[in-house]
Amino acid sequence: MAVSESPAGGLRMTSRLGQWDPFRNRIDLQEEAPDDRKIETFFHEVVHSILTGYDKWDEELAANALGEGLALFIKMNPDVIRDILDTYKNMEENPNA
């Protein structure tokens, strides 16, 4: 999945901070947004990509809750994220271990 930053006018609706485009398999984020909101919006759009095909109302509620929750979790637990990334890196470097 690709991620790109676009000026506010580049998104389909200028009030959006981001959008998931399933046809291009891409998340677009508003480049003018503050970094913390970009992170929340990124996870919000990741959730949309995961929940594609579910009822729209339930999908939006889940994307809001999970996007904000994941961003807060990462902010409050950076060591956990580093450990996860290190684990993945070790798995790639030692696939037979």
Side-chain angles (χ1 to χ4, degrees), residues 74-89:
I74 290 169
K75 181 179 182 179
M76 302 298 291
N77 300 282
D79 291 337
V80 171
I81 302 306
R82 284 188 205 100
D83 290 345
I84 291 169
L85 293 174
D86 287 344
T87 299
Y88 281 132
K89 183 177 178 182

Side-chain angles (χ1 to χ4, degrees), residues 12 21 42 72 77 80 86:
R12 280 183 263 159
D21 184 341
F42 170 76
L72 181 60
N77 300 282
V80 171
D86 287 344

